[in-house]
């Protein structure tokens, strides 16, 4: 991939995986704006399955706790190729995206793997507000007020207890039939929550890269990347970020360094340095499966070069390291496309609230961001201690990363987004300590979201026992929910992936034996 397309492609791919650091939404919005200014349309490529599965709808109430009189259709897909009478239901939570993005998991991934091993029925269930499971006419603040953990969990419970599967002459509702609930990332946290909140309905659950601990300051996301990335790449980012921060902090060089990066006159310093974090977030797109893997992080590291003592003079009169020079070269591939008739703030700024206030149903970015702003947090920031080397600018902090919450969601008539999200709504379910019989915790060793998972390096229970009843597994070398996808020929998967799949099959089969024994 060439450098001119590197940053733009990385940003265009953000819509494929909605669960990204909060500052990525700001970067993504600005790059989409830049495309509009240049009359371009971003093209997003997604991995799709060639297998066709039937889609169905299940009627849900808009509000499970207050009678509104309104209902909506929740979409789900079914894989019955392995089902035999007496088998369980394996349901995958679609999470914060269209459920069609999860179809590969129903075809060759974890749902098919578990269904095949247990004669089970495979199902993927779309989350309220995502895909076509949209219960409202617009995405205003008021219309989004039913998008929360409590309502979404009640959706799943209602579905499990009352769904009737077409073409199957049997009652497969819970709890008379064992249901195994699976989720990855945000849906992984939901999977863990479902087992805790509805233990009599969910027989077993697997939380893969489940972000069970909501947090305001998510500094550890980038710190994990710093420690896991190639040492020369981390060193270059540390050098460049420190140097740019110093230049921005000096009134005599502030404008010069913005011009060097192709953004002269930019009002907010963080509107420049947040683009650096946007490059780093590509670490999350690494995957063992070549059809899914995205090499943007490796390409960025190559472009950053190796540490050097050499100094370079810029046209703006600055003396910078090769790390800063190379970073500016990358960023300028994007900043140079700002039309001559537009200012840097018009292209790259975040000071215009109106840029974030379109509320039609095409503005799907508003959905996960609303959940971030109301209950989850996960705001990007630099490390809290200056003794920790940082690949994130000091200007990227919680106030900057969270300001979109007030910009995008002005107070409605019936609902107001809080000044900071109510993370206790999430953490009271268990947080880092979440545990239950027949709840498996599966995390990746170098997953940046691992900071918010049960294996987190700041978790007081990160070394808990791994048992068949309460599996607690860390996949070596893995990034984000590496066990979720699989190949049609499982023997071609890497040994670590084959191993975790076999372990999941083994403990799920044991859980189902417990069900038959009445445990």
């Amino acid at each position: 991939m060439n450098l001119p397309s590197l940053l733009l492609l990385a940003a265009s791919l953000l819509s494929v995986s909605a669960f990204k650091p909060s500052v990525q939404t700001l970067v993504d919005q600005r790059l989409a704006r830049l495309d509009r200014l240049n009359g371009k349309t971003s093209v997003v490529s997604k991995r799709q399955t060639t297998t066709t599965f039937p889609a169905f709808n299940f009627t849900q109430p808009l509000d499970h706790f207050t009678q509104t009189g309104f209902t909506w259709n929740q979409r789900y897909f079914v894989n019955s190729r392995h089902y035999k009478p007496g088998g369980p239901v394996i349901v995958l939570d679609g999470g914060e995206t269209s459920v069609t993005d999860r179809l590969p998991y129903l075809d060759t991934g974890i749902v098919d793997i578990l269904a095949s091993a247990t004669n089970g029925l495979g199902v993927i269930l779309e989350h309220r507000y995502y895909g076509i499971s949209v219960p409202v006419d617009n995405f205003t603040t008021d219309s989004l007020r039913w998008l929360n953990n409590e309502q979404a969990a009640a959706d799943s419970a209602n579905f499990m207890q009352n769904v009737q599967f077409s073409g199957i002459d049997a009652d497969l509702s819970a709890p008379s039939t064992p249901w195994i609930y699976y989720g990855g990332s945000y849906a992984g946290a939901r999977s863990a929550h479902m087992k805790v909140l509805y233990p009599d309905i969910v027989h077993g659950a697997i939380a893969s890269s489940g972000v069970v601990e909501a947090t305001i300051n998510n500094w550890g996301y980038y710190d994990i990347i710093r420690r896991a990335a190639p040492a020369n790449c981390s060193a270059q980012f540390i050098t460049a970020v420190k140097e740019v921060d110093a230049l921005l902090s000096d009134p005599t060089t502030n404008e010069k360094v913005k011009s060097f990066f192709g953004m002269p006159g930019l009002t907010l310093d963080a509107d420049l340095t947040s683009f650096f974090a946007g490059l780093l977030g590509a670490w999350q797109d690494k995957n063992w499966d070549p059809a899914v893997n995205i090499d943007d992080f490796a390409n960025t590291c190559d472009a950053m070069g190796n540490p050097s003592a050499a100094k370079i003079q810029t046209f703006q009169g600055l003396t910078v390291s090769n790390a800063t020079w190379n970073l500016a070269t990358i960023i300028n591939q994007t900043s140079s496309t700002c039309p001559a008739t537009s200012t840097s703030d018009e292209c790259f700024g975040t000071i215009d609230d109106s840029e974030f206030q379109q509320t039609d149903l095409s503005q799907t970015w508003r959905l996960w961001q609303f959940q971030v702003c109301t209950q989850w947090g996960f705001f990007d920031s630099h490390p809290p201690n200056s003794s920790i080397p940082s690949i994130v600018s000091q200007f990227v902090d919680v106030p900057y990363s969270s300001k979109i919450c007030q910009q995008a969601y002005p107070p409605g008539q019936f609902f107001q987004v809080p000044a900071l999200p109510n993370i206790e709504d999430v953490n009271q379910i268990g947080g880092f300590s979440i545990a239950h019989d027949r709840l498996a915790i599966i995390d990746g060793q170098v997953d940046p979201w691992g900071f918010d998972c049960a294996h987190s390096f700041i978790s007081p229970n990160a070394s808990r026992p791994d048992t068949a009843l309460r599996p607690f597994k860390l996949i070596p070398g893995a990034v984000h929910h590496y066990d979720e996808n699989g190949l049609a020929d499982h023997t071609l998967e890497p040994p670590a992936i084959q191993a975790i799949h076999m372990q999941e099959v083994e403990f799920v089969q044991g859980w189902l034996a417990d069900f038959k024994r009445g445990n």
Side-chain angles (χ1 to χ4, degrees), residues 355-475:
E355 289 287 346
F356 304 99
Q357 292 181 355
Q358 296 182 46
T359 59
D360 62 272
L361 295 183
S362 71
Q363 306 298 315
T364 55
W365 67 269
R366 294 177 63 82
L367 301 176
W368 173 244
Q369 188 63 48
F370 181 82
Q371 294 185 259
V372 163
C373 293
T374 53
Q375 293 185 307
W376 290 89
F378 300 140
F379 297 120
D380 295 332
S381 187
H382 50 83
N385 190 323
S386 61
S387 66
I388 302 174
S390 181
I391 57 175
V392 177
S393 165
Q394 65 181 356
F395 297 104
V396 173
D397 54 15
V398 170
Y400 175 77
S401 300
S402 65
K403 74 187 185 74
I404 190 175
C405 297
Q406 304 307 318
Q407 291 180 288
Y409 310 103
Q413 181 180 355
F414 304 103
F415 187 85
Q416 182 170 338
V417 170
L420 287 174
N422 300 317
I423 60 173
E424 186 56 27
D425 288 349
V426 174
N427 295 337
Q428 66 183 351
I429 306 174
F432 284 140
S433 300
I434 197 165
H436 204 284
D437 288 352
R438 295 190 299 276
L439 169 58
I441 304 293
I442 314 289
D443 293 325
Q445 184 183 30
V446 290
D447 181 2
W449 284 109
F451 183 69
D452 311 293
C453 297
H455 281 91
S456 174
F457 64 83
I458 64 170
S459 169
N461 300 299
S463 58
R464 70 179 79 170
D466 172 24
T467 67
L469 193 59
R470 297 187 175 193
F472 193 70
K473 300 181 183 296
L474 193 64
I475 307 174

Side-chain angles (χ1 to χ4, degrees), residues 17-176:
S17 179
F19 196 71
K20 285 285 190 174
S22 57
V23 77
Q24 294 266 4
T25 300
L26 294 168
V27 173
D28 191 27
Q29 286 295 102
R30 285 176 284 168
L31 291 177
R33 184 197 316 163
L34 191 62
D35 280 345
R36 292 195 301 272
L37 289 170
N38 286 290
K40 296 179 180 179
T41 301
S42 295
V43 178
V44 178
S45 118
K46 299 181 182 181
R47 179 180 185 267
Q48 295 287 352
T49 177
T50 58
T51 305
T52 300
F53 296 101
F56 302 93
N57 289 305
F58 179 82
T59 302
Q60 294 277 17
L62 176 62
D63 192 323
H64 288 274
F65 312 109
T66 302
Q67 180 57 251
T68 65
F70 291 98
T71 61
W72 56 283
N73 289 326
Q74 184 174 28
R75 180 169 58 164
Y76 63 99
F77 287 83
V78 176
N79 174 358
S80 60
R81 66 169 71 126
H82 302 297
Y83 177 72
K84 293 181 181 179
V89 178
I90 313 295
V91 61
L92 183 142
D93 189 306
E96 75 295 357
T97 188
S98 168
V99 77
T100 56
D101 293 341
R102 312 302 193 193
L103 284 173
Y105 308 141
L106 188 65
D107 188 18
T108 61
I110 190 62
V111 178
D112 188 72
I113 291 167
L114 294 178
S116 175
T118 61
N119 298 324
L121 185 75
V123 178
I124 53 175
L125 183 64
E126 194 158 65
H127 193 295
R128 63 167 50 209
Y129 284 82
Y130 292 92
I132 64 171
S133 298
V134 182
V136 293
D137 295 329
N138 55 58
F139 292 150
T140 62
T141 304
D142 276 343
S143 293
L144 292 172
R145 68 186 185 273
W146 295 283
L147 177 55
N148 57 50
N149 294 347
E150 297 78 14
Q151 297 286 357
D155 286 339
S156 294
N158 187 38
F159 176 82
M160 295 168 68
Q161 290 176 296
N162 295 290
V163 67
Q164 295 180 339
F165 292 108
S166 176
I168 296 179
D169 187 22
D171 178 9
L172 298 186
S173 61
S176 58

